[in-house]
Amino acid sequence: MAASNFFLLTAFIALVATQAMASDPSPLQDFCVADKHSPVRVNGLPCKDAKDVSVDDFFLAANLDKPMDTTKSKAGSNVTLINVMKLAGLNTLSISMARIDYAPKGQNPPHTHPRATEILTVLEGSLYVGFVTSNQANRENKLFTKTLNKGDVFVFPQGLIHFQFNPSYDKPAVAIAALSSQNPGAITIANAVFGSHPPISDDVLAKAFQVDKKAIDWLQAQSNSSINLNMASSNFFLLIPLIALVTTQAMASDPSPLQDFCVADKNSPVRVNGFPCKDAKDVSVDDFFLAANLDKPMDTTKSKAGSNVTLINVMKLAGLNTLGISMARIDYAPKGQNPPHTHPRATEILSVIEGSLYVGFVTSNQANGENKLFTKTLNKGDVFVFPEGLIHFQFNPSYDKPAAAIVALSSQNPGAITIANAVFGSNPPISDDVLAKAFQVDKKALYKKHRPLLVHKQKFHQLNMASSNFFLLTALIALVATQAMASDPSPLQDFCVADRNSPVRVNGFPCKDAKDVNVDDFFLAANLDKPMDTTKSKAGSNVTLINVMKLAGLNTLGISMARIDYAPKGQNPPHTHPRATEILTVLEGTLYVGFVTSNQANGENKLFTKTLNKGDVFVFPQGLIHFQFNPSYDKPAVAIAALSSQNPGAITIANAVFGSNSPISDDVLAKAFQVDKKAVDWLQAQFWENNHN
Ligand SMILES: *[C@@H]1O[C@H](CO)[C@@H](O)[C@H](O)[C@H]1NC(C)=O
Ligand SMILES: *[C@@H]1O[C@H](CO)[C@@H](O)[C@H](O)[C@H]1NC(C)=O
Ligand SMILES: *[C@@H]1O[C@H](CO)[C@@H](O)[C@H](O)[C@H]1NC(C)=O
Ligand SMILES: *[C@@H]1O[C@H](CO)[C@@H](O)[C@H](O)[C@H]1NC(C)=O
């Protein structure tokens, strides 16, 4: 009776829950590390001054490899959640991670996460898991259950009541879960319903649960123990006080769910953002389940990079569709690496399960024109965050021991752009004219001194095929158009003109008092009609970007604009915008432009190129590597571009990879680019200029 009560309780969902709001705000800068000491209250947490940010803001010695004590909990479980309150670097990045320990017969009792979908993999033992739909058209709350073994993966859709139970009489169980919010929240149903303060009237509950009041009073009398359960069973509860303070958020990169779930119908001929939904009548628990073998070491010997990425995204697990999350296991051979790459649509959170990893990421061009490198050596159980769209890598420094990590990504289809492959191994190849200038070497040097860089393009295809399952898995990226909804937050008022003098740091900028706003906040005498000087730039271009830093009225509005001048034979070298799609029109001259897809089904990075004439328009999708080149020997060219973020960021590949401050280890780069360390050292010694104003 008591156990089945949990399921009766779901009737109550209609009254109390908390249905799927959209998730977290999208980042408006590379990162916005939470400033937990600020007295300012905003949606999420205010940002630390970027000057004070260090790699440890993205790192936690979380001991996720260690069994936690389950003996003090009545429920027989212990949830160790790494959310923004514990790991400040997660702020604005829409993801968190947890380890859950279950005693024999222990459970994580029925609960919901108001702001997150959860994806879970079993590390030890078995789990009997389930979730209950909200009221369907037929007024039924359907229960989906499954028994999971080691290495299996399961999805709990956003906002739905779910539980996990360890059926074993004698063996503990352990799971790693990732949640698609920096602060997913947890509402334990028994506690929320029968243990609220003050109690919900027994009149209400008697009717809601269709039992007599005596039964309700009895249940409420258990509430004191429920509260104990609450306090005892889970760290969640220490963390949720802030839920009330930080109100719910509004935008995420993936589409927000508009129903309990929308299981991908991969056989449908209809093409939409993501996948069309299977008929809910045909949905079964196996749509949320995959016997993924994530407990098993994968083969790293066939990969030149010495790694093997097993990604569980929507193409493998149809239940992930519209839910904004995916998971991967990564195996690293001794001295193996996951080479420098970006995910155009996701932030990544990683926990080391075996060995050690040397990891890092590089910021987009900062105000001072610098690409800053943040690195850290991680041990077993440590947790690290790679912010959305930024170039990052992992390297196993050990000469003899393999390493392994479990990661989660804040998209159902994060995409992966391996820099070396996309730049030097695209199909067809990017013109040598473009690459020689972008990498600031002459063509001959590329062919002789640094021959492998361009001559062995073929090699990169092999690396591509060999180095990572990503490439097999991102199959449908081209078909399922990129998901990215607007990256910027939706405005909550007519305008929120950036107050750049405010000492308060938030995601984006705080608003000026509306009384002080005048028309000049929306205006800039930008001289975008005037040719800019391209002679000082090695690349032969000059980008004049009008973003929120220059035009305060853009704050929260999700757009910016640029003029780009190209000298004869000048180029805007291969780069990405971590937070924006770009649309461009040619005002003068001709441009040869292109972008490279993230890895496709066949392991290929496809290059799309076009020669544009005056008046032509071209789109560069969010997060993808792209370039423009003026093929004329004697005429300059000019373009106007608009970008779908108030602060799109720009990661110039050559600069971020070879010119970061401090340099990326030549061990990492030599393997990633398949050249010797001398070539890498030579490249790193070049002056990497920034053509952006
Ligand atoms: C969870 O485990 C940790 C480490 O063993 C322990 O310190 C903590 O008290 C446990 N929490 C609960 C609620 O049992
Ligand atoms: C909870 O416990 C306190 C004291 O331990 C008691 O006064 C109170 O009546 C209890 N609440 C319920 C609902 O039984
Ligand atoms: C990854 O490991 C799996 C299982 O060991 C193996 O079948 C697959 O070929 C490996 N992939 C690569 C790219 O090495
Ligand atoms: C771009 O042009 C402006 C105006 O001509 C000039 O002041 C600036 O130095 C140029 N920037 C670069 C990076 O060449």
Side-chain angles (χ1 to χ4, degrees), residues 220-221 223-224:
Q220 285 183 326
S223 73
N224 279 353

Side-chain angles (χ1 to χ4, degrees), residues 44-83:
L45 296 161
C47 318
K48 253 171 98 162
D49 189 330
K51 286 196 305 294
D52 302 332
V53 169
S54 82
V55 71
D56 289 330
D57 289 315
F58 302 93
F59 167 79
L60 190 68
N63 291 318
L64 289 193
D65 57 322
K66 301 270 186 328
M68 301 289 163
D69 181 4
T70 54
T71 59
K72 279 180 281 180
S73 148
K74 284 199 186 182
S77 65
N78 191 328
V79 180
T80 308
L81 174 66
I82 311 302
N83 68 0

